[in-house]
PDB file of all heavy atoms in Angstrom:
ATOM      1  N   THR A 216      54.456-173.013 -90.490  1.00 96.00           N
ATOM      2  CA  THR A 216      55.647-172.952 -91.264  1.00 96.00           C
ATOM      3  C   THR A 216      55.716-171.689 -92.106  1.00 96.00           C
ATOM      4  O   THR A 216      56.750-171.016 -92.202  1.00 96.00           O
ATOM      5  CB  THR A 216      55.787-174.169 -92.217  1.00 96.00           C
ATOM      6  OG1 THR A 216      55.790-175.365 -91.434  1.00 96.00           O
ATOM      7  CG2 THR A 216      57.077-174.096 -93.019  1.00 96.00           C
ATOM      8  N   LEU A 217      54.604-171.288 -92.694  1.00 96.00           N
ATOM      9  CA  LEU A 217      54.497-170.033 -93.468  1.00 96.00           C
ATOM     10  C   LEU A 217      54.857-168.838 -92.530  1.00 96.00           C
ATOM     11  O   LEU A 217      55.638-167.974 -92.910  1.00 96.00           O
ATOM     12  CB  LEU A 217      53.116-169.841 -94.064  1.00 96.00           C
ATOM     13  CG  LEU A 217      52.836-168.537 -94.781  1.00 96.00           C
ATOM     14  CD1 LEU A 217      53.555-168.511 -96.083  1.00 96.00           C
ATOM     15  CD2 LEU A 217      51.338-168.371 -94.965  1.00 96.00           C
ATOM     16  N   ALA A 218      54.257-168.803 -91.400  1.00 96.00           N
ATOM     17  CA  ALA A 218      54.553-167.701 -90.394  1.00 96.00           C
ATOM     18  C   ALA A 218      56.031-167.721 -89.918  1.00 96.00           C
ATOM     19  O   ALA A 218      56.631-166.709 -89.782  1.00 96.00           O
ATOM     20  CB  ALA A 218      53.595-167.814 -89.247  1.00 96.00           C
ATOM     21  N   LYS A 219      56.481-168.952 -89.741  1.00 95.00           N
ATOM     22  CA  LYS A 219      57.876-169.108 -89.188  1.00 95.00           C
ATOM     23  C   LYS A 219      58.870-168.621 -90.230  1.00 95.00           C
ATOM     24  O   LYS A 219      59.865-167.970 -89.926  1.00 95.00           O
ATOM     25  CB  LYS A 219      58.183-170.554 -88.777  1.00 95.00           C
ATOM     26  CG  LYS A 219      59.429-170.770 -88.076  1.00 95.00           C
ATOM     27  CD  LYS A 219      59.565-172.143 -87.672  1.00 95.00           C
ATOM     28  CE  LYS A 219      60.137-172.977 -88.840  1.00 95.00           C
ATOM     29  NZ  LYS A 219      60.687-174.264 -88.466  1.00 95.00           N
ATOM     30  N   ASN A 220      58.680-168.929 -91.508  1.00 95.00           N
ATOM     31  CA  ASN A 220      59.590-168.578 -92.550  1.00 95.00           C
ATOM     32  C   ASN A 220      59.504-167.100 -92.844  1.00 95.00           C
ATOM     33  O   ASN A 220      60.489-166.531 -93.339  1.00 95.00           O
ATOM     34  CB  ASN A 220      59.292-169.376 -93.816  1.00 95.00           C
ATOM     35  CG  ASN A 220      59.641-170.806 -93.707  1.00 95.00           C
ATOM     36  OD1 ASN A 220      60.415-171.205 -92.869  1.00 95.00           O
ATOM     37  ND2 ASN A 220      59.065-171.606 -94.573  1.00 95.00           N
ATOM     38  N   SER A 221      58.436-166.438 -92.496  1.00 94.00           N
ATOM     39  CA  SER A 221      58.353-164.996 -92.750  1.00 94.00           C
ATOM     40  C   SER A 221      59.044-164.182 -91.707  1.00 94.00           C
ATOM     41  O   SER A 221      59.200-162.932 -91.858  1.00 94.00           O
ATOM     42  CB  SER A 221      56.843-164.546 -92.817  1.00 94.00           C
ATOM     43  OG  SER A 221      56.287-164.540 -91.521  1.00 94.00           O
ATOM     44  N   LEU A 222      59.537-164.819 -90.615  1.00 92.00           N
ATOM     45  CA  LEU A 222      60.232-164.052 -89.595  1.00 92.00           C
ATOM     46  C   LEU A 222      61.543-163.487 -90.103  1.00 92.00           C
ATOM     47  O   LEU A 222      62.001-162.394 -89.700  1.00 92.00           O
ATOM     48  CB  LEU A 222      60.531-164.948 -88.350  1.00 92.00           C
ATOM     49  CG  LEU A 222      59.309-165.415 -87.611  1.00 92.00           C
ATOM     50  CD1 LEU A 222      59.730-166.415 -86.519  1.00 92.00           C
ATOM     51  CD2 LEU A 222      58.534-164.292 -87.022  1.00 92.00           C
ATOM     52  N   ASP A 223      62.223-164.162 -91.068  1.00 90.00           N
ATOM     53  CA  ASP A 223      63.484-163.694 -91.542  1.00 90.00           C
ATOM     54  C   ASP A 223      63.326-163.052 -92.947  1.00 90.00           C
ATOM     55  O   ASP A 223      64.289-162.796 -93.614  1.00 90.00           O
ATOM     56  CB  ASP A 223      64.466-164.894 -91.688  1.00 90.00           C
ATOM     57  CG  ASP A 223      64.698-165.567 -90.369  1.00 90.00           C
ATOM     58  OD1 ASP A 223      64.604-164.852 -89.307  1.00 90.00           O
ATOM     59  OD2 ASP A 223      64.966-166.749 -90.347  1.00 90.00           O
ATOM     60  N   ALA A 224      62.130-162.838 -93.413  1.00 89.00           N
ATOM     61  CA  ALA A 224      61.891-162.347 -94.754  1.00 89.00           C
ATOM     62  C   ALA A 224      61.912-160.818 -94.822  1.00 89.00           C
ATOM     63  O   ALA A 224      61.971-160.119 -93.836  1.00 89.00           O
ATOM     64  CB  ALA A 224      60.547-162.861 -95.254  1.00 89.00           C
ATOM     65  N   THR A 225      61.861-160.326 -96.058  1.00 92.00           N
ATOM     66  CA  THR A 225      61.793-158.943 -96.273  1.00 92.00           C
ATOM     67  C   THR A 225      60.367-158.424 -96.000  1.00 92.00           C
ATOM     68  O   THR A 225      59.406-159.239 -95.788  1.00 92.00           O
ATOM     69  CB  THR A 225      62.144-158.555 -97.738  1.00 92.00           C
ATOM     70  OG1 THR A 225      61.211-159.185 -98.596  1.00 92.00           O
ATOM     71  CG2 THR A 225      63.572-159.000 -98.062  1.00 92.00           C
ATOM     72  N   ASP A 226      60.165-157.116 -96.013  1.00 92.00           N
ATOM     73  CA  ASP A 226      58.868-156.567 -95.679  1.00 92.00           C
ATOM     74  C   ASP A 226      57.806-156.968 -96.622  1.00 92.00           C
ATOM     75  O   ASP A 226      56.678-157.325 -96.249  1.00 92.00           O
ATOM     76  CB  ASP A 226      58.923-155.039 -95.656  1.00 92.00           C
ATOM     77  CG  ASP A 226      59.708-154.489 -94.436  1.00 92.00           C
ATOM     78  OD1 ASP A 226      59.877-155.274 -93.481  1.00 92.00           O
ATOM     79  OD2 ASP A 226      60.197-153.365 -94.488  1.00 92.00           O
ATOM     80  N   ILE A 227      58.105-157.032 -97.952  1.00 94.00           N
ATOM     81  CA  ILE A 227      57.135-157.442 -98.931  1.00 94.00           C
ATOM     82  C   ILE A 227      56.734-158.904 -98.729  1.00 94.00           C
ATOM     83  O   ILE A 227      55.545-159.304 -98.819  1.00 94.00           O
ATOM     84  CB  ILE A 227      57.647-157.184-100.335  1.00 94.00           C
ATOM     85  CG1 ILE A 227      57.839-155.657-100.590  1.00 94.00           C
ATOM     86  CG2 ILE A 227      56.786-157.807-101.443  1.00 94.00           C
ATOM     87  CD1 ILE A 227      58.554-155.332-101.831  1.00 94.00           C
ATOM     88  N   GLU A 228      57.699-159.768 -98.439  1.00 94.00           N
ATOM     89  CA  GLU A 228      57.439-161.167 -98.225  1.00 94.00           C
ATOM     90  C   GLU A 228      56.602-161.341 -96.919  1.00 94.00           C
ATOM     91  O   GLU A 228      55.775-162.274 -96.886  1.00 94.00           O
ATOM     92  CB  GLU A 228      58.708-161.982 -98.139  1.00 94.00           C
ATOM     93  CG  GLU A 228      59.440-162.054 -99.493  1.00 94.00           C
ATOM     94  CD  GLU A 228      60.823-162.590 -99.396  1.00 94.00           C
ATOM     95  OE1 GLU A 228      61.366-162.642 -98.264  1.00 94.00           O
ATOM     96  OE2 GLU A 228      61.411-162.957-100.455  1.00 94.00           O
ATOM     97  N   LYS A 229      56.846-160.513 -95.901  1.00 94.00           N
ATOM     98  CA  LYS A 229      55.999-160.621 -94.690  1.00 94.00           C
ATOM     99  C   LYS A 229      54.601-160.278 -94.949  1.00 94.00           C
ATOM    100  O   LYS A 229      53.671-160.980 -94.435  1.00 94.00           O
ATOM    101  CB  LYS A 229      56.631-159.713 -93.603  1.00 94.00           C
ATOM    102  CG  LYS A 229      57.917-160.140 -93.023  1.00 94.00           C
ATOM    103  CD  LYS A 229      58.388-159.201 -92.038  1.00 94.00           C
ATOM    104  CE  LYS A 229      59.775-159.610 -91.447  1.00 94.00           C
ATOM    105  NZ  LYS A 229      60.250-158.656 -90.495  1.00 94.00           N
ATOM    106  N   VAL A 230      54.372-159.231 -95.751  1.00 95.00           N
ATOM    107  CA  VAL A 230      52.962-158.827 -96.072  1.00 95.00           C
ATOM    108  C   VAL A 230      52.336-159.952 -96.845  1.00 95.00           C
ATOM    109  O   VAL A 230      51.152-160.277 -96.599  1.00 95.00           O
ATOM    110  CB  VAL A 230      53.009-157.528 -96.810  1.00 95.00           C
ATOM    111  CG1 VAL A 230      51.639-157.200 -97.381  1.00 95.00           C
ATOM    112  CG2 VAL A 230      53.460-156.361 -95.929  1.00 95.00           C
ATOM    113  N   ASN A 231      53.034-160.514 -97.861  1.00 96.00           N
ATOM    114  CA  ASN A 231      52.447-161.555 -98.659  1.00 96.00           C
ATOM    115  C   ASN A 231      52.094-162.793 -97.744  1.00 96.00           C
ATOM    116  O   ASN A 231      51.045-163.398 -97.974  1.00 96.00           O
ATOM    117  CB  ASN A 231      53.454-161.947 -99.722  1.00 96.00           C
ATOM    118  CG  ASN A 231      52.882-162.927-100.734  1.00 96.00           C
ATOM    119  OD1 ASN A 231      51.652-162.848-101.005  1.00 96.00           O
ATOM    120  ND2 ASN A 231      53.677-163.850-101.202  1.00 96.00           N
ATOM    121  N   ALA A 232      52.989-163.126 -96.839  1.00 96.00           N
ATOM    122  CA  ALA A 232      52.706-164.299 -95.976  1.00 96.00           C
ATOM    123  C   ALA A 232      51.484-164.048 -95.140  1.00 96.00           C
ATOM    124  O   ALA A 232      50.656-164.922 -94.925  1.00 96.00           O
ATOM    125  CB  ALA A 232      53.921-164.594 -95.116  1.00 96.00           C
ATOM    126  N   ARG A 233      51.353-162.838 -94.608  1.00 96.00           N
ATOM    127  CA  ARG A 233      50.178-162.489 -93.773  1.00 96.00           C
ATOM    128  C   ARG A 233      48.864-162.548 -94.595  1.00 96.00           C
ATOM    129  O   ARG A 233      47.845-162.963 -94.122  1.00 96.00           O
ATOM    130  CB  ARG A 233      50.333-161.134 -93.108  1.00 96.00           C
ATOM    131  CG  ARG A 233      51.272-161.157 -91.966  1.00 96.00           C
ATOM    132  CD  ARG A 233      51.332-159.840 -91.251  1.00 96.00           C
ATOM    133  NE  ARG A 233      52.298-159.853 -90.201  1.00 96.00           N
ATOM    134  CZ  ARG A 233      51.967-160.038 -88.854  1.00 96.00           C
ATOM    135  NH1 ARG A 233      50.745-160.117 -88.568  1.00 96.00           N
ATOM    136  NH2 ARG A 233      52.924-159.964 -88.020  1.00 96.00           N
ATOM    137  N   ARG A 234      48.987-162.089 -95.841  1.00 96.00           N
ATOM    138  CA  ARG A 234      47.779-162.122 -96.736  1.00 96.00           C
ATOM    139  C   ARG A 234      47.360-163.573 -97.043  1.00 96.00           C
ATOM    140  O   ARG A 234      46.194-163.831 -97.105  1.00 96.00           O
ATOM    141  CB  ARG A 234      48.026-161.347 -97.999  1.00 96.00           C
ATOM    142  CG  ARG A 234      48.009-159.851 -97.779  1.00 96.00           C
ATOM    143  CD  ARG A 234      48.267-159.124 -99.054  1.00 96.00           C
ATOM    144  NE  ARG A 234      48.223-157.709 -98.785  1.00 96.00           N
ATOM    145  CZ  ARG A 234      48.561-156.771 -99.704  1.00 96.00           C
ATOM    146  NH1 ARG A 234      49.045-157.124-100.889  1.00 96.00           N
ATOM    147  NH2 ARG A 234      48.479-155.479 -99.443  1.00 96.00           N
ATOM    148  N   LEU A 235      48.389-164.442 -97.241  1.00 96.00           N
ATOM    149  CA  LEU A 235      48.061-165.853 -97.532  1.00 96.00           C
ATOM    150  C   LEU A 235      47.401-166.481 -96.322  1.00 96.00           C
ATOM    151  O   LEU A 235      46.435-167.221 -96.427  1.00 96.00           O
ATOM    152  CB  LEU A 235      49.304-166.584 -97.872  1.00 96.00           C
ATOM    153  CG  LEU A 235      49.911-166.380 -99.297  1.00 96.00           C
ATOM    154  CD1 LEU A 235      51.242-167.015 -99.419  1.00 96.00           C
ATOM    155  CD2 LEU A 235      48.940-166.838-100.376  1.00 96.00           C
ATOM    156  N   ALA A 236      47.954-166.217 -95.113  1.00 97.00           N
ATOM    157  CA  ALA A 236      47.368-166.737 -93.890  1.00 97.00           C
ATOM    158  C   ALA A 236      45.953-166.218 -93.644  1.00 97.00           C
ATOM    159  O   ALA A 236      45.068-166.903 -93.227  1.00 97.00           O
ATOM    160  CB  ALA A 236      48.282-166.461 -92.709  1.00 97.00           C
ATOM    161  N   ALA A 237      45.757-164.903 -93.941  1.00 96.00           N
ATOM    162  CA  ALA A 237      44.458-164.307 -93.736  1.00 96.00           C
ATOM    163  C   ALA A 237      43.413-164.865 -94.661  1.00 96.00           C
ATOM    164  O   ALA A 237      42.247-165.021 -94.351  1.00 96.00           O
ATOM    165  CB  ALA A 237      44.523-162.807 -93.966  1.00 96.00           C
ATOM    166  N   SER A 238      43.849-165.253 -95.903  1.00 96.00           N
ATOM    167  CA  SER A 238      42.854-165.873 -96.829  1.00 96.00           C
ATOM    168  C   SER A 238      42.452-167.269 -96.325  1.00 96.00           C
ATOM    169  O   SER A 238      41.335-167.679 -96.643  1.00 96.00           O
ATOM    170  CB  SER A 238      43.496-165.986 -98.249  1.00 96.00           C
ATOM    171  OG  SER A 238      44.581-166.945 -98.238  1.00 96.00           O
ATOM    172  N   LYS A 239      43.294-167.952 -95.623  1.00 94.00           N
ATOM    173  CA  LYS A 239      42.983-169.258 -95.153  1.00 94.00           C
ATOM    174  C   LYS A 239      42.190-169.180 -93.811  1.00 94.00           C
ATOM    175  O   LYS A 239      41.294-170.030 -93.548  1.00 94.00           O
ATOM    176  CB  LYS A 239      44.210-170.100 -94.774  1.00 94.00           C
ATOM    177  CG  LYS A 239      45.054-170.475 -95.996  1.00 94.00           C
ATOM    178  CD  LYS A 239      44.446-171.611 -96.738  1.00 94.00           C
ATOM    179  CE  LYS A 239      45.400-172.030 -97.852  1.00 94.00           C
ATOM    180  NZ  LYS A 239      44.797-173.115 -98.588  1.00 94.00           N
ATOM    181  N   LEU A 240      42.454-168.158 -92.952  1.00 95.00           N
ATOM    182  CA  LEU A 240      41.835-168.085 -91.643  1.00 95.00           C
ATOM    183  C   LEU A 240      40.676-167.107 -91.544  1.00 95.00           C
ATOM    184  O   LEU A 240      39.792-167.294 -90.725  1.00 95.00           O
ATOM    185  CB  LEU A 240      42.904-167.722 -90.611  1.00 95.00           C
ATOM    186  CG  LEU A 240      44.022-168.742 -90.434  1.00 95.00           C
ATOM    187  CD1 LEU A 240      45.035-168.152 -89.459  1.00 95.00           C
ATOM    188  CD2 LEU A 240      43.458-170.014 -89.882  1.00 95.00           C
ATOM    189  N   ALA A 241      40.695-166.044 -92.316  1.00 92.00           N
ATOM    190  CA  ALA A 241      39.657-165.049 -92.390  1.00 92.00           C
ATOM    191  C   ALA A 241      39.392-164.441 -91.002  1.00 92.00           C
ATOM    192  O   ALA A 241      38.224-164.167 -90.582  1.00 92.00           O
ATOM    193  CB  ALA A 241      38.359-165.620 -92.929  1.00 92.00           C
ATOM    194  N   ASP A 242      40.464-164.202 -90.203  1.00 93.00           N
ATOM    195  CA  ASP A 242      40.315-163.614 -88.882  1.00 93.00           C
ATOM    196  C   ASP A 242      41.629-162.883 -88.584  1.00 93.00           C
ATOM    197  O   ASP A 242      42.653-163.525 -88.434  1.00 93.00           O
ATOM    198  CB  ASP A 242      40.024-164.639 -87.822  1.00 93.00           C
ATOM    199  CG  ASP A 242      39.643-164.020 -86.484  1.00 93.00           C
ATOM    200  OD1 ASP A 242      39.900-162.804 -86.298  1.00 93.00           O
ATOM    201  OD2 ASP A 242      39.190-164.756 -85.643  1.00 93.00           O
ATOM    202  N   ASP A 243      41.563-161.561 -88.536  1.00 95.00           N
ATOM    203  CA  ASP A 243      42.822-160.766 -88.293  1.00 95.00           C
ATOM    204  C   ASP A 243      43.457-161.006 -86.947  1.00 95.00           C
ATOM    205  O   ASP A 243      44.701-161.012 -86.878  1.00 95.00           O
ATOM    206  CB  ASP A 243      42.520-159.270 -88.486  1.00 95.00           C
ATOM    207  CG  ASP A 243      42.142-158.978 -89.897  1.00 95.00           C
ATOM    208  OD1 ASP A 243      42.474-159.704 -90.817  1.00 95.00           O
ATOM    209  OD2 ASP A 243      41.451-157.902 -90.166  1.00 95.00           O
ATOM    210  N   GLN A 244      42.730-161.201 -85.898  1.00 97.00           N
ATOM    211  CA  GLN A 244      43.299-161.406 -84.613  1.00 97.00           C
ATOM    212  C   GLN A 244      44.041-162.738 -84.561  1.00 97.00           C
ATOM    213  O   GLN A 244      45.103-162.805 -83.962  1.00 97.00           O
ATOM    214  CB  GLN A 244      42.181-161.433 -83.526  1.00 97.00           C
ATOM    215  CG  GLN A 244      41.583-160.087 -83.324  1.00 97.00           C
ATOM    216  CD  GLN A 244      40.475-160.116 -82.280  1.00 97.00           C
ATOM    217  OE1 GLN A 244      39.922-161.143 -81.990  1.00 97.00           O
ATOM    218  NE2 GLN A 244      40.178-158.982 -81.704  1.00 97.00           N
ATOM    219  N   ILE A 245      43.492-163.790 -85.160  1.00 97.00           N
ATOM    220  CA  ILE A 245      44.193-165.135 -85.158  1.00 97.00           C
ATOM    221  C   ILE A 245      45.471-165.012 -86.034  1.00 97.00           C
ATOM    222  O   ILE A 245      46.499-165.580 -85.682  1.00 97.00           O
ATOM    223  CB  ILE A 245      43.267-166.176 -85.697  1.00 97.00           C
ATOM    224  CG1 ILE A 245      42.000-166.304 -84.795  1.00 97.00           C
ATOM    225  CG2 ILE A 245      43.960-167.515 -85.723  1.00 97.00           C
ATOM    226  CD1 ILE A 245      42.280-166.697 -83.333  1.00 97.00           C
ATOM    227  N   VAL A 246      45.382-164.251 -87.141  1.00 97.00           N
ATOM    228  CA  VAL A 246      46.595-164.148 -87.965  1.00 97.00           C
ATOM    229  C   VAL A 246      47.660-163.382 -87.192  1.00 97.00           C
ATOM    230  O   VAL A 246      48.850-163.760 -87.181  1.00 97.00           O
ATOM    231  CB  VAL A 246      46.267-163.380 -89.259  1.00 97.00           C
ATOM    232  CG1 VAL A 246      47.536-163.021 -90.035  1.00 97.00           C
ATOM    233  CG2 VAL A 246      45.305-164.202 -90.164  1.00 97.00           C
ATOM    234  N   ARG A 247      47.288-162.365 -86.499  1.00 96.00           N
ATOM    235  CA  ARG A 247      48.226-161.645 -85.639  1.00 96.00           C
ATOM    236  C   ARG A 247      48.873-162.510 -84.578  1.00 96.00           C
ATOM    237  O   ARG A 247      50.067-162.501 -84.345  1.00 96.00           O
ATOM    238  CB  ARG A 247      47.518-160.431 -85.018  1.00 96.00           C
ATOM    239  CG  ARG A 247      48.447-159.362 -84.457  1.00 96.00           C
ATOM    240  CD  ARG A 247      47.744-158.172 -84.010  1.00 96.00           C
ATOM    241  NE  ARG A 247      46.938-157.575 -85.124  1.00 96.00           N
ATOM    242  CZ  ARG A 247      45.587-157.390 -85.079  1.00 96.00           C
ATOM    243  NH1 ARG A 247      44.903-157.797 -84.018  1.00 96.00           N
ATOM    244  NH2 ARG A 247      44.997-156.843 -86.057  1.00 96.00           N
ATOM    245  N   LYS A 248      48.044-163.341 -83.921  1.00 97.00           N
ATOM    246  CA  LYS A 248      48.540-164.252 -82.896  1.00 97.00           C
ATOM    247  C   LYS A 248      49.480-165.280 -83.509  1.00 97.00           C
ATOM    248  O   LYS A 248      50.521-165.680 -82.954  1.00 97.00           O
ATOM    249  CB  LYS A 248      47.394-164.991 -82.185  1.00 97.00           C
ATOM    250  CG  LYS A 248      47.824-165.839 -81.078  1.00 97.00           C
ATOM    251  CD  LYS A 248      46.703-166.436 -80.328  1.00 97.00           C
ATOM    252  CE  LYS A 248      47.271-167.359 -79.196  1.00 97.00           C
ATOM    253  NZ  LYS A 248      46.203-167.954 -78.382  1.00 97.00           N
ATOM    254  N   LEU A 249      49.134-165.792 -84.720  1.00 96.00           N
ATOM    255  CA  LEU A 249      49.949-166.757 -85.390  1.00 96.00           C
ATOM    256  C   LEU A 249      51.328-166.248 -85.678  1.00 96.00           C
ATOM    257  O   LEU A 249      52.336-166.919 -85.374  1.00 96.00           O
ATOM    258  CB  LEU A 249      49.260-167.194 -86.702  1.00 96.00           C
ATOM    259  CG  LEU A 249      50.084-168.115 -87.654  1.00 96.00           C
ATOM    260  CD1 LEU A 249      50.333-169.418 -86.988  1.00 96.00           C
ATOM    261  CD2 LEU A 249      49.279-168.297 -88.955  1.00 96.00           C
ATOM    262  N   PHE A 250      51.378-165.056 -86.232  1.00 96.00           N
ATOM    263  CA  PHE A 250      52.705-164.450 -86.598  1.00 96.00           C
ATOM    264  C   PHE A 250      53.526-163.885 -85.419  1.00 96.00           C
ATOM    265  O   PHE A 250      54.723-163.918 -85.468  1.00 96.00           O
ATOM    266  CB  PHE A 250      52.480-163.414 -87.669  1.00 96.00           C
ATOM    267  CG  PHE A 250      52.296-163.945 -89.027  1.00 96.00           C
ATOM    268  CD1 PHE A 250      51.046-164.403 -89.438  1.00 96.00           C
ATOM    269  CD2 PHE A 250      53.354-164.005 -89.886  1.00 96.00           C
ATOM    270  CE1 PHE A 250      50.867-164.919 -90.665  1.00 96.00           C
ATOM    271  CE2 PHE A 250      53.172-164.543 -91.205  1.00 96.00           C
ATOM    272  CZ  PHE A 250      51.911-164.990 -91.554  1.00 96.00           C
TER     273      PHE A 250
END
């Protein structure tokens, strides 16, 4: 849901959503695949 809601967000909100997901997953490739 976090990744889906960031599709329509501004650039700053997209970066923030990716950082939140990265803190939960701790893997850049999985975060990239998620988004």
Side-chain angles (χ1 to χ4, degrees):
T216 302
L217 176 72
K219 189 178 83 163
N220 290 340
S221 74
L222 294 176
D223 301 332
T225 62
D226 289 339
I227 293 172
E228 292 169 345
K229 287 180 184 178
V230 170
N231 187 35
R233 284 184 183 261
R234 285 181 178 169
L235 286 171
S238 71
K239 295 280 186 183
L240 296 174
D242 188 348
D243 293 336
Q244 291 178 339
I245 301 297
V246 171
R247 196 172 302 119
K248 182 176 181 180
L249 172 65
F250 280 82

